[in-house]
Amino acid sequence: MSWTAHSYMARKGVAQGRTGAEHALTEAAQGKFHYVYGPYVEAKLRIQPGDTLTVETIDAFGGRVKTENDLPTKVLDFPFVNPQNGPIHVEGAVKGDVLAVHILSIDPRGEQPCGTTALIPEFGGLVGTGTTAMLNAPLPERVKKMQVTRAGVKFSERITLPYEPFIGTLGVSPEIEAVSSLTPDYWGGNMDLPDVAPGSIVYFPVQHPGAFLYLGDCHGRQGDGELCGVAVEMAATVRLQVDLIKGWSIPGVRLETEDFIMSVGSARPMEDAARMAYRDLVRWLVSDYGFEESEAYFLCTQAGKVRLGNMVDPKYTLGASMKKGWIGG
Amino acid sequence: MSWTAHSYMARKGVAQGRTGAEHALTEAAQGKFHYVYGPYVEAKLRIQPGDTLTVETIDAFGGRVKTENDLPTKVLDFPFVNPQNGPIHVEGAVKGDVLAVHILSIDPRGEQPCGTTALIPEFGGLVGTGTTAMLNAPLPERVKKMQVTRAGVKFSERITLPYEPFIGTLGVSPEIEAVSSLTPDYWGGNMDLPDVAPGSIVYFPVQHPGAFLYLGDCHGRQGDGELCGVAVEMAATVRLQVDLIKGWSIPGVRLETEDFIMSVGSARPMEDAARMAYRDLVRWLVSDYGFEESEAYFLCTQAGKVRLGNMVDPKYTLGASMKKGWIGG
Amino acid sequence: MSWTAHSYMARKGVAQGRTGAEHALTEAAQGKFHYVYGPYVEAKLRIQPGDTLTVETIDAFGGRVKTENDLPTKVLDFPFVNPQNGPIHVEGAVKGDVLAVHILSIDPRGEQPCGTTALIPEFGGLVGTGTTAMLNAPLPERVKKMQVTRAGVKFSERITLPYEPFIGTLGVSPEIEAVSSLTPDYWGGNMDLPDVAPGSIVYFPVQHPGAFLYLGDCHGRQGDGELCGVAVEMAATVRLQVDLIKGWSIPGVRLETEDFIMSVGSARPMEDAARMAYRDLVRWLVSDYGFEESEAYFLCTQAGKVRLGNMVDPKYTLGASMKKGWIGG
Amino acid sequence: MSWTAHSYMARKGVAQGRTGAEHALTEAAQGKFHYVYGPYVEAKLRIQPGDTLTVETIDAFGGRVKTENDLPTKVLDFPFVNPQNGPIHVEGAVKGDVLAVHILSIDPRGEQPCGTTALIPEFGGLVGTGTTAMLNAPLPERVKKMQVTRAGVKFSERITLPYEPFIGTLGVSPEIEAVSSLTPDYWGGNMDLPDVAPGSIVYFPVQHPGAFLYLGDCHGRQGDGELCGVAVEMAATVRLQVDLIKGWSIPGVRLETEDFIMSVGSARPMEDAARMAYRDLVRWLVSDYGFEESEAYFLCTQAGKVRLGNMVDPKYTLGASMKKGWIGG
């Protein structure tokens, strides 16, 4: 039996571990993509807790960077970047609930080389930006295309990296805000966290009736921090199962795999993202695993793991995790 | 002749220094207040460049903290805080223009004591918060009411502070986002910068057709940084003149008084707000005052002034300024 | 009668406001200058509380940047920069005491143009550095010499800025550390805070027997933040009076003028410097001015002032102040 | 044949992979421990490149926290914490060289339970501190003792964590500074980075003649970030082999294992530590592995790994690494 039978999703979800209807949201069906996470649009699809979804996402450049000559500053039209599928309305979801998203698979779509990375002026972790504002001249703009298959990401003639896909941008609508799909926050969004991958279940605090799930920005793989700001961007076919947990109050995104539980924080400076993630992990250990607060704090000190998602987006994202084996999860 | 005849507003504005029609936006006329800066609502009022406005704002608590017993966590309903008047549509404004807002006067409204400050759990510059997440217990919640008149802010029996009012939250709509009125950014918003005061002209980069001016959150006075997170909050009557400068590309908020020009940055960590503000000031000296870049950088080094607006909001706000007397402005 | 008669120095100092002997520490008498604040050297001079001192400092470049062709990376020998006079042993000072330094005057020394500023690669507030590490190319190195007299700093043919001198680096020895004179911390050091100026009394927590006062790095003037990293550097003649306050425990540098009291914080990120400064100011209002803690927090919120010293040194320095007129000081 | 035959140490070291003399530095031989990393003391031991060392370290509390009733604020005497063995003079080391330290083994010493962790007021990643200064009351002070053997760290009755020891504080002397052993920096020091473990070779840029190697502060294990500020502190027996690489200029600490190369950054805010680490890794890939700079930046983006050492010390430490398998190392 799969570990998922013991997941929060299976134990607490409305669907009680059962699989519901199958839905598809193709690129054509999506039609117009979205550039904000917000409540000011109509739902594109309505589903029930327990249903599964196949979604065709487009890449963070909306497919406009077709060759290494298509420089982002020429072919993109800010702020219309990082296009998102959705929103998907989940029946019965209201503020105070949690939306559970089990990621089943992610496959690359489109013509090869379908992976794209780039150096974009004033963007990235090792250059001056609009906020870490510098007088230095930007680096030259550059695009690099890569073949991406389940067999690997062909970085160069001599280097093929493992295919380790994940969803860069995934989350639910804020209650009254409509926030750029470039930004991560407590509702999810552009976390660029490699653990949001097949096999993981991600939990989001619902803010808006129907939750309004959005997703996009799949990556063939990414290093910790997404250093230059652009991972292996690709169009993808994503399969998800969605469920709803009633009355579970969580302050931000949580995540679960077979091996660990993780709390996610998004903030600047980076230590605040770490504080948010670890404080939530401490409190989760207290509420669900029987630890007294100082014991939970000690356990995180001796056994917590940190995964840096991004150090380039408007907020940096970082996950703090604990092995299930140590806490009886 | 007033200095304003030489202001950017008078020299470059569509109204060419002329005063247009008078408008009023009373509390009753406003009706429903707004809690986001965004384009997803109808304009409440339409004006022409050069027109003047009298606006009745309500305080950041929506008037719900009437006595020192009305604790914010009891009477407020997050995220419905910091209510804003507007949006006001300015004829002819499009992306790439600048909206100029000359603040003429700010007067307190309502029953005395009409000023309110408070300690709110997990909010403020010297306590753990949702982002600078701590395990320490919060400080006790507390409300303090103060009489506010043009004669002063009665802080206590022994201390009356000068009445130095300003608009805490003022700005234009983002292009596609709708962002909490608690947040400052390049379009303005909750800057909590005491220079946004009578006598100043504030310049905002237009993002949305008609600019969509919002305002609220007036303060009877405030120290640098708005340390506990809550200034002398008050309902107010605000008089403004608004003009439009076509084709002036600015990366964020700028401000002008008789004595100085100022660039404003909003970011975390605080040094990034300072970098944004100072980089824009350097570039402004280059573009408009005849300085070579390194000379402008040197001049800011030897003569720049910094004003800390807030160190408590989702982004910290800080202004960097240069005396007009030194640059021939 | 001067305000200083009511200063902490006069009221609590060992010298009880009396002036002691006169000492001189000429450049020649200093001989070898120091590049760390530490206890591992012999005192250069021994004085009594109440004594006055005339000290000849050299500039932060040790006088090696004589012309605009003397590029810092060519003529300097890191880490031997920012040379300091001292240490001066103050009789009777022990850990737990406070050293009071009243700055009487600062005059420029040496051949004109005696003021120097510069752009140094990988140093400054608007460029990538060794810590805010970037891949961008550095700005071109550049030196600018300026005539500095009591009449003003001749920034350029068209701009003469007021002469507003201060001591960039001033403090006492740490207990067991010896820290670069480029770094500010709780013992003082390279604060680059313009309030450390004639007329101010600065208070330092003694860590080492005899206090071991160091000073150097005088500036003809400086803007807030010392943006490019190099103020109007100059050799100077400094006059000081020094006193000792027994048994006054302060967590960091404090400062007093006729008009205000100030607490100083040095840290990164900048908000931590602000937190340190303001927390100490709140506690100072509680301990010495009769405020309950939340009242002090409120008063700082409504009436505190912030002065940014530097945003370029290994720690950023910032002062938070309160007007004496409002607190009965 | 061991991977170490291909290490930088073996390929570039003066000892050319040969093992020299054996030395021991027992607790008794050390006698007086040190609390700063600096040049102002005599070397305790002199060795040749290639020599091996067995060192008896004491724990970060100097052994004073013997039971759970020995509260740190009662039994410790700041700043005399984190005692260090050394300095060890390595023959021939001069500024511009690199000291290579191969960690062979780490074993716990002393009576059980020999592991100690603690909550110390104003210290830790989820509480207000002296720099992230808050008005909130501190958490209650607490000590937790744990049995530590090669078989594991007995965290509680139900949880035994793997024994994964490392050296918390290891490095060389700065050139002219003497810096608290609580602080990490480019010369090493209190990095609290779990990769500084048996099997790793750590590289330090020599600043002082003889390098002056210091070490102490061994940990039975630690989670990422050392969240509460205190890992599984223990006295230990450490075995090291030391070599010298002439004329290798590195800007900070580097590390090598069988599987990866790592660059280490120590700074606040945390993103600056990440920038330092990743910039050095990019440059290392360029200088030693044949990458063009933008390719190296892309590779780190897609395949870099980040390990958070500490988020509690005066500077935060973080390592950025790349798998040797991908770069032909």
Side-chain angles (χ1 to χ4, degrees):
Chain A
M1 191 179 70
S2 165
W3 71 272
T4 57
H6 303 288
S7 67
Y8 282 86
M9 180 169 164
R11 286 184 289 120
K12 305 179 74 171
V14 167
Q16 298 181 281
R18 290 186 301 262
T19 300
E22 279 271 352
H23 303 269
L25 182 55
T26 61
E27 185 177 340
Q30 179 65 44
K32 188 165 162 297
F33 284 76
H34 296 289
Y35 301 93
V36 293
Y37 274 60
Y40 302 108
V41 289
E42 295 294 309
K44 181 62 65 180
L45 184 67
R46 299 178 82 91
I47 67 172
Q48 296 291 333
D51 287 359
T52 57
L53 280 166
T54 300
V55 181
E56 290 180 357
T57 65
I58 56 178
D59 75 18
F61 299 123
R64 293 189 183 187
V65 180
K66 296 181 199 307
T67 75
E68 295 190 349
N69 295 318
D70 295 328
L71 297 184
T73 58
K74 304 295 184 197
V75 303
L76 300 183
D77 178 21
F78 292 92
F80 302 99
V81 291
N82 202 15
Q84 301 292 302
N85 294 73
I88 297 156
H89 181 284
V90 181
E91 220 58 64
V94 296
K95 192 175 178 179
D97 295 342
V98 162
L99 194 76
V101 179
H102 185 192
I103 303 171
L104 304 173
S105 66
I106 301 174
D107 286 285
R109 292 199 304 132
E111 282 181 47
Q112 293 294 355
C114 74
T116 307
T117 188
L119 299 189
I120 302 175
E122 303 259 310
F123 183 54
L126 293 183
V127 296
T129 66
T131 47
T132 305
M134 300 291 173
L135 294 174
N136 306 94
L139 299 184
E141 194 167 0
R142 186 187 159 195
V143 169
K144 181 184 175 80
K145 301 289 289 188
M146 292 163 283
Q147 186 178 298
V148 181
T149 66
R150 300 197 75 126
V153 172
K154 190 169 176 186
F155 180 81
S156 66
E157 285 307 313
R158 63 171 167 148
I159 303 174
T160 297
L161 302 169
Y163 180 69
E164 295 180 335
F166 69 99
I167 306 175
T169 311
L170 177 68
V172 297
S173 176
E175 184 170 5
I176 60 172
E177 291 186 290
V179 175
S180 168
S181 55
L182 294 172
T183 302
D185 212 316
Y186 61 89
W187 60 75
N190 193 26
M191 300 182 287
D192 289 322
L193 181 67
D195 296 300
V196 180
S200 294
I201 304 174
V202 196
Y203 300 99
F204 301 97
V206 175
Q207 310 293 324
H208 179 70
F212 270 37
L213 179 69
Y214 290 90
L215 70 155
D217 187 28
C218 288
H219 295 166
R221 70 169 288 112
Q222 184 196 291
D224 293 349
E226 199 186 20
L227 188 64
C228 81
V230 185
V232 181
E233 309 294 330
M234 65 178 191
T237 303
V238 177
R239 274 180 45 77
L240 307 167
Q241 186 183 15
V242 174
D243 202 351
L244 182 67
I245 298 174
K246 300 297 293 180
W248 188 22
S249 177
I250 62 177
V253 178
R254 290 179 175 177
L255 185 149
E256 177 182 20
T257 71
E258 181 166 7
D259 296 326
F260 59 81
I261 60 169
M262 175 181 275
S263 293
V264 179
S266 295
R268 288 191 180 199
M270 198 185 285
E271 53 264 39
D272 274 1
R275 287 167 177 144
M276 291 174 81
Y278 259 132
R279 182 171 77 168
D280 184 54
L281 186 60
V282 166
R283 291 182 170 173
W284 195 357
L285 292 173
V286 169
S287 66
D288 287 29
Y289 296 89
F291 288 86
E292 184 270 337
E293 186 185 88
S294 67
E295 284 289 298
Y297 194 17
F298 281 144
L299 185 64
C300 289
T301 303
Q302 314 312 346
K305 297 300 289 179
V306 163
R307 182 75 178 270
L308 179 61
N310 88 78
M311 54 182 279
V312 294
D313 295 326
K315 299 188 176 189
Y316 306 137
T317 298
L318 181 155
S321 64
M322 184 59 62
K323 274 196 186 170
K324 289 179 170 178
W326 293 335
I327 55 176
Chain B
M1 191 180 69
S2 164
W3 72 272
T4 57
H6 303 289
S7 68
Y8 282 85
M9 179 170 165
R11 288 184 289 121
K12 304 180 74 171
V14 167
Q16 298 180 279
R18 290 187 297 264
T19 300
E22 281 270 352
H23 303 267
L25 183 54
T26 62
E27 185 176 341
Q30 178 66 45
K32 188 165 160 299
F33 284 76
H34 296 289
Y35 301 93
V36 291
Y37 274 59
Y40 301 108
V41 290
E42 295 293 309
K44 183 60 66 181
L45 184 68
R46 299 178 83 91
I47 66 172
Q48 297 290 334
D51 288 359
T52 58
L53 281 166
T54 300
V55 181
E56 290 180 357
T57 65
I58 57 178
D59 74 17
F61 299 122
R64 293 189 183 188
V65 180
K66 297 180 198 307
T67 75
E68 295 190 348
N69 294 320
D70 294 327
L71 297 185
T73 58
K74 304 295 184 199
V75 302
L76 300 182
D77 177 21
F78 293 92
F80 303 100
V81 291
N82 202 15
Q84 301 292 302
N85 294 74
I88 297 157
H89 182 284
V90 181
E91 220 58 62
V94 295
K95 190 174 177 179
D97 297 341
V98 162
L99 195 75
V101 179
H102 186 194
I103 304 172
L104 303 173
S105 67
I106 301 172
D107 287 284
R109 293 198 304 131
E111 282 182 48
Q112 294 291 354
C114 73
T116 308
T117 188
L119 299 188
I120 303 175
E122 301 259 309
F123 185 53
L126 294 183
V127 296
T129 65
T131 48
T132 305
M134 301 289 175
L135 293 174
N136 307 93
L139 300 184
E141 195 167 0
R142 185 187 160 195
V143 169
K144 179 183 176 80
K145 299 291 287 190
M146 293 163 282
Q147 185 178 300
V148 181
T149 67
R150 298 196 76 125
V153 172
K154 191 170 177 185
F155 181 81
S156 67
E157 285 307 313
R158 63 170 166 146
I159 302 175
T160 296
L161 301 169
Y163 180 69
E164 296 180 335
F166 69 98
I167 307 175
T169 311
L170 176 69
V172 297
S173 176
E175 184 170 4
I176 60 173
E177 290 187 291
V179 175
S180 167
S181 55
L182 294 171
T183 301
D185 212 317
Y186 62 89
W187 60 75
N190 194 25
M191 301 181 287
D192 290 322
L193 180 68
D195 297 300
V196 181
S200 295
I201 304 175
V202 197
Y203 300 99
F204 300 98
V206 175
Q207 310 293 325
H208 179 70
F212 271 36
L213 179 70
Y214 290 91
L215 71 156
D217 187 27
C218 288
H219 296 165
R221 72 169 288 112
Q222 183 196 291
D224 294 347
E226 198 185 20
L227 189 63
C228 81
V230 186
V232 180
E233 310 294 330
M234 66 179 191
T237 304
V238 177
R239 274 180 45 75
L240 307 169
Q241 186 183 16
V242 174
D243 202 351
L244 182 66
I245 299 175
K246 299 297 293 181
W248 189 23
S249 177
I250 62 177
V253 178
R254 291 180 175 176
L255 186 149
E256 178 183 17
T257 71
E258 181 167 7
D259 296 326
F260 60 81
I261 61 169
M262 176 181 275
S263 293
V264 179
S266 294
R268 289 191 180 199
M270 197 186 286
E271 54 265 39
D272 274 0
R275 286 169 177 144
M276 291 174 80
Y278 258 132
R279 182 171 77 169
D280 184 53
L281 186 59
V282 166
R283 292 182 169 173
W284 195 356
L285 291 174
V286 169
S287 65
D288 287 28
Y289 297 89
F291 288 86
E292 183 271 338
E293 186 185 88
S294 67
E295 284 289 298
Y297 193 18
F298 281 144
L299 185 65
C300 289
T301 303
Q302 314 311 347
K305 298 299 290 178
V306 163
R307 183 74 178 270
L308 180 61
N310 87 77
M311 54 183 278
V312 295
D313 295 324
K315 298 187 177 190
Y316 305 138
T317 297
L318 180 154
S321 63
M322 183 59 60
K323 275 196 186 170
K324 288 180 171 178
W326 293 335
I327 54 175
Chain C
M1 192 179 70
S2 164
W3 72 272
T4 56
H6 303 288
S7 68
Y8 281 86
M9 180 169 163
R11 287 184 288 121
K12 305 179 74 170
V14 167
Q16 298 180 281
R18 290 187 299 263
T19 300
E22 280 270 351
H23 304 269
L25 183 54
T26 61
E27 185 178 338
Q30 178 66 44
K32 188 165 161 298
F33 284 76
H34 296 289
Y35 301 93
V36 292
Y37 275 59
Y40 301 108
V41 289
E42 294 296 309
K44 181 63 62 179
L45 184 68
R46 298 178 83 91
I47 66 173
Q48 296 290 333
D51 288 358
T52 57
L53 281 166
T54 300
V55 181
E56 290 180 356
T57 65
I58 57 177
D59 74 19
F61 300 122
R64 295 190 183 187
V65 180
K66 297 181 199 305
T67 75
E68 295 191 348
N69 294 318
D70 295 327
L71 297 185
T73 58
K74 304 295 184 198
V75 302
L76 300 181
D77 178 22
F78 292 91
F80 302 99
V81 290
N82 203 14
Q84 300 292 302
N85 294 73
I88 298 156
H89 182 284
V90 182
E91 220 57 64
V94 296
K95 191 175 179 180
D97 296 342
V98 163
L99 194 74
V101 179
H102 186 192
I103 303 171
L104 303 173
S105 66
I106 301 173
D107 286 286
R109 293 199 303 132
E111 281 182 47
Q112 295 292 356
C114 73
T116 308
T117 188
L119 299 189
I120 301 175
E122 302 259 308
F123 183 53
L126 293 183
V127 296
T129 65
T131 47
T132 305
M134 301 290 173
L135 293 174
N136 306 95
L139 299 184
E141 195 166 0
R142 185 186 160 196
V143 169
K144 180 185 175 80
K145 300 289 289 189
M146 293 162 284
Q147 186 178 297
V148 180
T149 67
R150 299 196 77 126
V153 172
K154 191 170 177 186
F155 180 81
S156 66
E157 285 307 314
R158 63 170 168 148
I159 303 174
T160 296
L161 301 169
Y163 180 69
E164 295 180 335
F166 68 98
I167 306 176
T169 311
L170 176 68
V172 297
S173 177
E175 184 170 3
I176 60 172
E177 291 187 290
V179 176
S180 168
S181 55
L182 294 171
T183 301
D185 212 315
Y186 62 88
W187 59 76
N190 192 27
M191 300 182 287
D192 289 322
L193 180 67
D195 296 300
V196 181
S200 294
I201 304 174
V202 196
Y203 300 100
F204 300 98
V206 175
Q207 310 292 325
H208 179 70
F212 271 36
L213 178 69
Y214 290 90
L215 71 154
D217 187 28
C218 288
H219 296 167
R221 70 170 286 112
Q222 184 197 292
D224 293 348
E226 198 185 22
L227 188 63
C228 81
V230 185
V232 181
E233 309 295 330
M234 65 179 193
T237 303
V238 177
R239 274 182 43 77
L240 306 168
Q241 187 183 15
V242 173
D243 202 351
L244 183 66
I245 299 175
K246 300 296 294 179
W248 189 22
S249 177
I250 62 177
V253 179
R254 289 177 175 179
L255 185 149
E256 178 182 19
T257 71
E258 181 166 8
D259 296 326
F260 60 81
I261 60 169
M262 177 182 274
S263 293
V264 179
S266 294
R268 288 191 180 201
M270 197 186 286
E271 53 265 39
D272 274 0
R275 286 168 177 143
M276 291 174 81
Y278 260 133
R279 182 170 79 170
D280 184 54
L281 186 60
V282 166
R283 291 183 170 172
W284 195 356
L285 291 173
V286 169
S287 66
D288 287 29
Y289 297 89
F291 288 85
E292 183 271 338
E293 185 185 87
S294 67
E295 284 289 298
Y297 194 16
F298 281 145
L299 185 64
C300 289
T301 302
Q302 314 312 346
K305 297 299 289 178
V306 164
R307 183 74 177 271
L308 179 61
N310 88 76
M311 55 182 278
V312 294
D313 294 326
K315 297 186 177 190
Y316 306 136
T317 297
L318 180 155
S321 64
M322 185 58 63
K323 275 196 187 171
K324 287 180 171 178
W326 293 335
I327 54 176
Chain D
M1 192 178 71
S2 166
W3 72 273
T4 57
H6 303 290
S7 68
Y8 282 86
M9 180 168 164
R11 287 184 290 121
K12 304 178 75 172
V14 167
Q16 298 180 280
R18 291 187 298 263
T19 301
E22 280 269 353
H23 303 268
L25 182 56
T26 61
E27 185 178 339
Q30 178 66 45
K32 186 164 161 300
F33 284 77
H34 297 288
Y35 302 94
V36 292
Y37 274 59
Y40 301 108
V41 290
E42 294 294 309
K44 182 61 64 181
L45 185 67
R46 299 178 83 91
I47 67 172
Q48 296 291 332
D51 288 359
T52 57
L53 281 165
T54 300
V55 181
E56 289 179 358
T57 65
I58 57 177
D59 74 19
F61 301 122
R64 294 189 183 188
V65 180
K66 297 180 197 307
T67 75
E68 296 190 348
N69 295 319
D70 295 327
L71 297 185
T73 57
K74 304 295 184 199
V75 301
L76 300 182
D77 178 20
F78 293 92
F80 303 99
V81 291
N82 203 14
Q84 300 292 303
N85 294 73
I88 297 157
H89 182 284
V90 181
E91 221 57 64
V94 295
K95 191 176 179 181
D97 296 342
V98 162
L99 195 75
V101 179
H102 186 194
I103 304 171
L104 303 173
S105 67
I106 301 173
D107 286 285
R109 292 199 304 131
E111 281 183 48
Q112 294 291 354
C114 72
T116 308
T117 188
L119 299 188
I120 303 175
E122 302 260 308
F123 184 54
L126 293 182
V127 297
T129 66
T131 47
T132 305
M134 301 290 174
L135 294 173
N136 307 93
L139 299 184
E141 195 167 0
R142 186 189 159 194
V143 169
K144 179 183 176 81
K145 300 289 287 189
M146 292 161 285
Q147 184 177 300
V148 181
T149 67
R150 298 196 76 126
V153 172
K154 191 171 177 184
F155 181 82
S156 66
E157 285 307 312
R158 63 170 166 147
I159 302 175
T160 296
L161 301 169
Y163 180 67
E164 296 180 334
F166 68 99
I167 307 175
T169 311
L170 176 68
V172 297
S173 177
E175 184 171 3
I176 59 173
E177 292 187 290
V179 176
S180 167
S181 56
L182 294 171
T183 302
D185 212 315
Y186 61 89
W187 60 76
N190 193 25
M191 300 182 286
D192 289 323
L193 179 68
D195 296 299
V196 181
S200 295
I201 304 174
V202 197
Y203 300 99
F204 301 97
V206 174
Q207 310 293 325
H208 179 71
F212 271 36
L213 179 69
Y214 290 90
L215 71 155
D217 186 29
C218 288
H219 296 165
R221 69 170 290 112
Q222 183 196 291
D224 294 347
E226 199 185 20
L227 190 63
C228 81
V230 186
V232 181
E233 310 294 331
M234 64 178 194
T237 303
V238 177
R239 275 181 43 77
L240 307 168
Q241 186 184 14
V242 175
D243 202 350
L244 182 66
I245 300 175
K246 300 297 293 181
W248 188 23
S249 178
I250 63 177
V253 178
R254 290 178 175 178
L255 185 149
E256 178 182 19
T257 71
E258 180 167 7
D259 296 326
F260 59 80
I261 60 169
M262 176 182 274
S263 293
V264 179
S266 293
R268 289 191 179 200
M270 197 186 287
E271 52 265 39
D272 274 0
R275 287 169 177 144
M276 292 174 80
Y278 259 133
R279 182 171 77 169
D280 184 54
L281 186 59
V282 166
R283 292 183 170 172
W284 195 357
L285 292 174
V286 169
S287 66
D288 287 28
Y289 297 89
F291 287 86
E292 184 271 339
E293 185 185 87
S294 67
E295 284 289 297
Y297 193 17
F298 281 145
L299 186 64
C300 289
T301 303
Q302 313 313 347
K305 297 299 289 179
V306 164
R307 183 75 178 270
L308 180 61
N310 88 76
M311 54 181 279
V312 295
D313 295 324
K315 298 187 177 190
Y316 306 137
T317 298
L318 180 154
S321 63
M322 184 59 61
K323 272 196 187 171
K324 288 180 171 178
W326 293 335
I327 54 174

